[in-house]
Amino acid sequence: MKTFQQSNLLNSLPKQFFASLVKKVSLSVANGHDVINLGQGNPDQPTPEHIVKKLQEAAANPINHKYSPFQGYKYFKQAAVDFYEREYGVSLDPDTEVAVLFGGKAGLVEIPQCLLNPGDTILVPDPGYPDYWSGVSLAQANMVTMPLLEENGFLPVYETIEPEILEKAKLMFLNYPNNPTGATASLEFFEKTVELAKNTNICVVHDFAYGAIGFDGQKPISFLQTEGAKDIGIEIYTLSKTYNMAGWRVGFAVGNRSVISAIELLQDHLYVSIFGGIQEAAAVALNASQQCVEELNALYESRRNVLIEGLKSIGWDVRAPKGSFFAWLKVPEGYTSEEFADFLLEKAHIAVAPGVGFGHYGEGYVRVGLLTSEGRMQEAVERIKSLEIFK
Ligand code: PLP
């Protein structure tokens, strides 16, 4: 059998850092260990029943057995518009300011290809969600990272970016509530961002994947709530986390119409839109009672409290995340993030994600997902305590 060579484009894609973590965890499980896996970002709860029921019903409707309209059904775009109006007081036009996405990841990877030419500059947060890098590579763009430091609340400081870079940059990714740090953004920060973008050629893409998850009574704000945001950028929303629909692959982009039409143009060439049954169920998710979302938020908050209070009680100096379903924990002195993650897996059978996998400035931290029961969280704390490293 012949082996065909992969294209230079594929060969230039970033290596999947976390593939090795998955392998290490599987090996540990295969060796009979009861691993508490806090390393991944896959919601553990099922999709609420009323959404599943809608899909079951919609699957039987022959209209959904046909190709759906290339740019998605109008009722789904309208549902996204109604959701933004109700949740954030943001008004959008369903015809020109909403693009349907196969999940947030698809949109995030497509956008650099929509707006950048090879060699163009894009600003990306470090640490950050690794899939941003995939879109940058596919567009053959030049990535410049913006450090997210604890002393700055894990927000980029625009004043520290070199003026030539700001002048050249065409795109910027932001993400709050943030993966991996759990930080949230203020309206003031978003206002600064709009101001910067107005004075440059930067299009801002705000990844609002964890928009529904905010703690201590603080609802995360949408970038589009900032005055003028629609003039200079878009927001990507996904149903994956809000409604535990990660496997369904559905989301949408909202905001600046030139960017929305660029996304729709690329997608016209790549796909036919999402299965109609999923669009029907997603519309129901967005506009039925949001009690399920409140309950989910409360569940993550109590898991967060169990974890953070537990870790503090055993002497680990940790900080509580304000949003997302991740905690970003400083590793004890003497370990790199990867060494510490390996140590926890080997000695306590707990999997966490080494911070360096999210970028250079992720070194010194590990990311812990709040995606298992309070009981298992408590057990993780007990196992770490028994290692006696925080005395
Ligand atoms: N953005 C961030 C920061 C994420 O953590 C994720 C998923 O983990 C996504 C986007 C993509 O989510 P999805 O493609 O399921 O919508």
Side-chain angles (χ1 to χ4, degrees), residues 41 102-106 108 129 131-132 175 177-179 207 209-210 237-241 245-246 249-251 325-326 367:
F102 285 83
K105 171 171 173 160
L108 292 162
Y129 176 57
D131 285 342
Y132 301 144
N175 162 228
N178 184 258
N179 174 12
D207 175 2
Y210 299 92
Y237 200 91
T238 171
L239 281 75
S240 293
K241 325 285 166 160
M245 291 171 71
R249 312 311 306 139
V250 58
F325 49 49
F326 299 112
R367 191 194 72 177

Side-chain angles (χ1 to χ4, degrees), residues 13 20-21 30 44 46 83 87 117 129 136 139 163 172 182 200 208 214 218 222 273 308 316 343 346 352 370 384:
L13 287 172
S20 74
L21 175 68
D44 62 312
F83 173 84
E87 294 291 327
N117 294 313
Y129 176 57
V136 173
M172 175 195 285
T200 57
F208 204 28
Q218 299 291 315
S222 157
S273 192
I308 298 295
W316 192 350
F343 174 76
E346 198 183 312
V352 298
L370 305 172
I384 296 171

Side-chain angles (χ1 to χ4, degrees), residues 11-177:
N11 285 328
S12 74
L13 287 172
K15 297 284 162 280
Q16 294 277 7
F17 179 88
F18 291 105
S20 74
L21 175 68
V22 172
K23 257 194 215 149
K24 285 178 193 170
V25 173
S26 308
L27 189 65
S28 184
V29 172
N31 286 337
H33 298 302
D34 170 27
V35 175
I36 303 179
N37 192 347
L38 308 176
Q40 287 175 329
N42 209 344
D44 62 312
Q45 296 295 298
T47 306
E49 213 176 300
H50 64 283
I51 304 172
V52 176
K53 282 234 167 76
K54 187 68 200 178
L55 173 67
Q56 287 168 336
E57 228 176 85
N61 184 347
I63 188 88
N64 290 326
H65 304 165
K66 300 179 172 226
Y67 291 119
S68 40
F70 267 51
Q71 299 181 350
Y73 279 104
K74 174 83 181 267
Y75 65 75
F76 178 41
K77 292 185 169 187
Q78 186 62 50
V81 167
D82 295 343
F83 173 84
Y84 259 75
E85 185 73 61
R86 187 191 70 231
E87 294 291 327
Y88 305 111
V90 170
S91 299
L92 295 160
D93 173 9
D95 293 323
T96 57
E97 294 178 333
V98 184
V100 170
L101 302 173
F102 285 83
K105 171 171 173 160
L108 292 162
V109 173
E110 285 163 11
I111 284 163
Q113 297 172 81
C114 290
L115 300 184
L116 302 181
N117 294 313
D120 281 348
T121 296
I122 171 167
L123 292 161
V124 174
D126 176 358
Y129 176 57
D131 285 342
Y132 301 144
W133 312 335
S134 314
V136 173
S137 280
L138 288 171
Q140 299 177 273
N142 170 38
M143 181 165 88
V144 175
T145 56
M146 301 183 290
L148 305 188
L149 306 179
E150 188 156 356
E151 67 251 35
N152 302 320
F154 298 110
L155 299 168
V157 178
Y158 299 135
E159 291 77 11
T160 62
I161 304 173
E162 288 175 31
E164 310 86 79
I165 300 283
L166 287 179
E167 207 170 293
K168 274 200 291 194
K170 284 191 162 176
L171 203 58
M172 175 195 285
F173 280 129
L174 291 175
N175 162 228
Y176 295 97

